[in-house]
Amino acid sequence: MLGCGSATKEVVSAPGDKGKDKNKSKRKELTEKERNDVTYLFFNANKERILGNYELAANLFTRCLSLDPENAAVMYELAGLYEAQGEDETALSLIKKAVDIEENNTWYKLLLAHLYQKMSDYATAASVYETIIKNNPDKVDYYFDWAFALIYDNKLDQAIEVYDKLEQKVGVNQEISIQKQRIYSELGKQDKAIEELQKLIAVFPKDPQFHGVLAELYLEAGEQEKALAEYQKIIEMEPNNGLVHLSLAQYYKSTGNQEESYKEVVKAFESQEVDIDTKVKVLLDYYTLTESNKEYIDEAYTLAKLLVQEHPSEAKSYSVYGDFLSRDNKLKEARQQYREAVKYDNGRFVIWNEILNLDLQLNDYDAMLEESQASIGLFPTQPAFYLYKGIAQIRKKNYKEAIEALNSGKELVVDNKLLLTQFYSDLGDAYYKDNQYQKSDEAYDKVLSLDANNIGVLNNYSYYLSLRKEKLEQAKEMAKRANELQPGQPSFQDTYGWVLYVNGDYDEAKIWLQKALNNGGNGNGVILEHYGDVLFQLGEKDQAFDYWKKAKEAGNASELIDRKIADRQLYE
């Protein structure tokens, strides 16, 4: 339905005065009053159209047609209104009638051709443009419209003929030659495409753009030396043309000359003419390349530093550099680059997430707490940042604050079972450390209801239950399951051994604790102390004493270790 839209081209002539009226003898003879009414309605309809009252304008034009059914001018205006509202079929029907009535009216035919083209009837559109040009042989724009319709209709040879006709009128022209070159390239006629560029360069020898296109054509034709010559001509004209240096880099790369290619890339990165997005794309190619070819890492880092140097106020510069550093395990340096990035664009969730992930890997919980709080201020509905804050508070032994952050964050999780599992897992740890054992158990149970094979929770939950000497059969089953899921893990073997110990199964406990020691636990004070306790229960008191001393030396043993050593006695 008509309602709103852009106005059509304003028409200033009176209705019925445009072009030749071939059906004049067939038209209804209007009375003077009817002519006056049509004129009045027509001009008021145009006024409403200009004011944007399209529905009212359409109604007034329709009343015109009811009085004068063969009025082509009214049909044209009404068709324009319908076309602006997307009612193309109705518009086409009206403008076809208008053209039938006034077959030499250029404006009517232009709208007709436009509608055919809009409705993808390119062949008919092209034929209409051809008739338009017969009546307007000197209108350059119409030739372009005709050629474009032919191109869309895949009549490329005919489009070339149209451009040739136009060229005969206006001479060698940039737009004409470029279009012909593109068509020849599409047709696989590389020699013709090259000729067009050569002809254009003969007229415009100082325009580097045409030399660049010609160089690309030579490359496609396998004429590399000629391509290089064209690039060198551009460099002579514009020594600091960064885009040409990039093209030269591609040229040298295609010839296997990586050294020269890299030199040209450096020149391009030193140029302000090359936009940052283009440079970032080059660096991303280097990122992929250096995944398997470490020999190019130094080149990549040089370019990353140049990117920062030439675009010091762009967050992208620092984030891309940070990506390289992070991948290569240069964690502190990567974090610093990401921190620089958010100074210039603090609205990037991904960068904040990288910063916090690096804080976690670096065990920098003070920074993690501060930066998680900052990120929550910027992204208050993103649950991940509450998780980082909760983890930081746990590590800083601020358990109540951790619980508050984790509970706030988990309420924001939507359709992400993995993230929700992580929240409940950390809540279980925080509640346990805050001596809220029932809530800790509930949180761990929630994790296992979401992921029955969550190894970390199976291990921690079982260990904490053993320390409390509660639900020991459940603890035993969970610890056993963790070892089945990830065998050979000393901390899991220690947990299972300790659960067996609490259950009074000292012989089996000794076997599992020996496994833990053999798999790398012989430097862990907790595992060494546990093994000493098992030995004591089995009557091997001298050996127990030796392992307690080893546990003391390794560190991280229990608060009772000094009493055990001093009294050579087991305390629990």
Side-chain angles (χ1 to χ4, degrees):
M1 291 292 293
L2 280 163
C4 61
S6 59
T8 58
K9 179 176 176 64
E10 186 173 356
V11 178
V12 295
S13 57
D17 288 344
K18 291 183 179 181
K20 177 182 176 183
D21 185 353
K22 72 174 184 178
N23 293 324
K24 185 175 182 179
S25 61
K26 296 181 181 179
R27 286 185 62 176
K28 170 188 172 185
E29 190 68 33
L30 302 181
T31 66
E32 183 177 354
K33 181 180 181 306
E34 287 174 329
R35 284 196 300 271
N36 289 338
D37 286 346
V38 169
T39 301
Y40 174 80
L41 289 168
F42 183 84
F43 282 108
N44 274 283
N46 265 312
K47 181 184 74 173
E48 296 301 335
R49 174 179 59 76
I50 293 167
L51 291 172
N53 301 322
Y54 303 118
E55 191 164 351
L56 178 56
N59 289 335
L60 291 170
F61 282 129
T62 302
R63 288 173 61 189
C64 281
L65 278 183
S66 69
L67 292 171
D68 189 3
E70 300 299 316
N71 193 313
V74 174
M75 293 175 187
Y76 170 77
E77 295 295 343
L78 194 52
L81 279 173
Y82 278 114
E83 190 267 336
Q85 302 305 312
E87 299 183 46
D88 295 339
E89 292 287 353
T90 304
L92 181 63
S93 177
L94 282 165
I95 198 61
K96 283 170 70 177
K97 290 179 183 177
V99 170
D100 285 342
I101 294 168
E102 297 184 20
E103 62 183 10
N104 293 323
N105 188 300
T106 298
W107 292 113
Y108 299 174
K109 286 191 172 181
L110 284 171
L111 179 55
L112 178 62
H114 165 72
L115 281 165
Y116 277 128
Q117 197 156 343
K118 187 178 179 184
M119 297 167 73
S120 302
D121 188 352
Y122 303 116
T124 307
S127 66
V128 175
Y129 282 124
E130 185 174 6
T131 66
I132 291 171
I133 288 169
K134 286 179 181 177
N135 294 327
N136 302 272
D138 296 324
K139 292 289 289 184
V140 171
D141 289 346
Y142 299 162
Y143 285 88
F144 283 109
D145 292 334
W146 184 13
F148 284 141
L150 289 167
I151 291 169
Y152 284 122
D153 196 36
N154 205 33
K155 301 287 177 40
L156 302 184
D157 289 321
Q158 292 181 35
I160 288 285
E161 291 175 6
V162 173
Y163 284 127
D164 286 339
K165 290 178 182 178
L166 182 56
E167 195 171 65
Q168 289 171 9
K169 290 182 174 296
V170 301
V172 176
N173 171 282
Q174 173 181 339
E175 188 172 357
I176 296 170
S177 292
I178 291 296
Q179 287 296 335
K180 288 171 70 177
Q181 171 261 308
R182 288 173 178 166
I183 293 173
Y184 281 131
S185 294
E186 180 73 18
L187 291 169
K189 298 179 179 180
Q190 292 301 104
D191 55 338
K192 288 287 189 181
I194 288 170
E195 281 180 20
E196 284 300 323
L197 263 297
Q198 289 173 332
K199 183 169 63 178
L200 196 56
I201 288 171
V203 179
F204 304 101
K206 298 298 183 183
D207 193 323
Q209 169 187 309
F210 303 144
H211 290 280
V213 177
L214 181 56
E216 290 174 9
L217 290 174
Y218 279 136
L219 282 177
E220 290 173 10
E223 300 186 57
Q224 294 178 330
E225 291 185 5
K226 289 183 178 179
L228 180 59
E230 294 301 320
Y231 285 132
Q232 288 172 337
K233 287 175 186 177
I234 301 174
I235 295 300
E236 288 173 10
M237 289 185 275
E238 298 182 349
N240 297 319
N241 189 319
L243 292 172
V244 176
H245 285 298
L246 273 183
S247 296
L248 273 169
Q250 284 297 112
Y251 165 79
Y252 284 122
K253 184 178 180 181
S254 70
T255 62
N257 192 338
Q258 181 61 31
E259 184 178 351
E260 287 300 318
S261 176
Y262 173 65
K263 288 179 182 177
E264 295 298 333
V265 171
V266 169
K267 291 175 184 177
F269 268 61
E270 290 172 339
S271 170
Q272 287 290 325
E273 293 182 16
V274 181
D275 64 85
I276 186 170
D277 290 330
T278 300
K279 292 176 182 177
V280 167
K281 185 178 182 302
V282 172
L283 268 174
L284 291 178
D285 289 340
Y286 261 94
Y287 190 96
T288 303
L289 177 66
T290 52
E291 291 275 272
S292 54
N293 295 288
K294 302 301 182 185
E295 61 194 285
Y296 298 113
I297 284 180
D298 288 342
E299 291 182 10
Y301 275 110
T302 298
L303 295 175
K305 291 172 184 176
L306 275 174
L307 187 69
V308 170
Q309 176 183 305
E310 297 299 325
H311 303 275
S313 300
E314 289 275 4
K316 292 177 188 176
S317 303
Y318 301 99
S319 63
V320 172
Y321 190 13
D323 289 344
F324 278 92
L325 291 164
S326 180
R327 182 198 64 180
D328 296 339
N329 210 35
K330 299 178 180 180
L331 304 185
K332 286 186 178 179
E333 297 93 326
R335 183 175 64 172
Q336 184 55 41
Q337 293 303 315
Y338 291 136
R339 284 173 172 173
E340 290 295 322
V342 295
K343 287 181 183 178
Y344 296 99
D345 182 1
N346 68 358
R348 300 283 298 279
F349 167 84
V350 173
I351 299 178
W352 281 104
N353 199 64
E354 288 291 341
I355 291 171
L356 287 162
N357 184 44
L358 288 168
D359 287 338
L360 181 59
Q361 291 184 66
L362 291 165
N363 299 320
D364 189 348
Y365 302 116
D366 289 332
M368 190 172 167
L369 181 58
E370 180 180 344
E371 287 168 329
S372 63
Q373 190 59 51
S375 63
I376 288 170
L378 292 166
F379 306 94
T381 62
Q382 287 290 344
F385 296 137
Y386 294 86
L387 181 62
Y388 282 116
K389 182 179 179 180
I391 293 170
Q393 295 284 29
I394 290 173
R395 299 296 190 274
K396 290 174 66 64
K397 303 187 187 313
N398 301 323
Y399 303 119
K400 293 190 186 307
E401 292 84 350
I403 291 166
E404 181 182 358
L406 293 168
N407 274 318
S408 296
K410 75 177 173 64
E411 297 303 320
L412 299 171
V413 179
V414 178
D415 295 329
N416 190 333
K417 189 169 80 169
L418 184 63
L419 184 59
L420 192 61
T421 298
Q422 188 61 55
F423 268 104
Y424 278 111
S425 175
D426 288 314
L427 269 170
D429 295 345
Y431 277 128
Y432 185 84
K433 296 293 185 182
D434 198 45
N435 300 320
Q436 299 187 56
Y437 301 133
Q438 182 177 344
K439 288 186 176 181
S440 174
D441 290 356
E442 289 171 357
Y444 286 142
D445 286 336
K446 181 65 176 178
V447 172
L448 296 176
S449 72
L450 293 168
D451 177 11
N453 292 326
N454 189 294
I455 300 175
V457 168
L458 288 170
N459 180 74
N460 291 354
Y461 193 7
S462 61
Y463 186 65
Y464 291 150
L465 287 174
S466 71
L467 293 179
R468 288 153 46 197
K469 295 183 170 57
E470 296 179 9
K471 305 176 186 176
L472 292 178
E473 192 59 37
Q474 180 184 347
K476 182 178 176 182
E477 288 302 315
M478 288 191 295
K480 181 181 179 183
R481 181 62 179 154
N483 279 278
E484 289 171 348
L485 291 168
Q486 191 169 326
Q489 170 59 250
S491 62
F492 293 174
Q493 291 169 332
D494 169 64
T495 296
Y496 189 35
W498 185 249
V499 171
L500 291 167
Y501 171 88
V502 174
N503 275 281
D505 191 349
Y506 303 127
D507 289 323
E508 192 67 18
K510 180 180 179 182
I511 292 171
W512 279 92
L513 288 167
Q514 282 178 331
K515 290 181 180 180
L517 291 172
N518 293 336
N519 284 323
N522 55 1
N524 185 303
V526 173
I527 298 175
L528 290 165
E529 184 176 3
H530 285 168
Y531 191 61
D533 291 355
V534 168
L535 292 174
F536 190 91
Q537 294 285 17
L538 290 171
E540 303 175 38
K541 297 183 179 180
D542 289 338
Q543 291 185 39
F545 176 73
D546 291 337
Y547 273 93
W548 287 337
K549 288 195 296 182
K550 290 179 181 179
K552 168 76 172 176
E553 292 170 3
N556 204 33
S558 74
E559 296 174 354
L560 299 172
I561 193 67
D562 290 330
R563 287 183 62 194
K564 291 178 181 179
I565 294 170
D567 298 342
R568 301 175 71 94
Q569 181 65 42
L570 177 65
Y571 294 102
E572 296 180 338

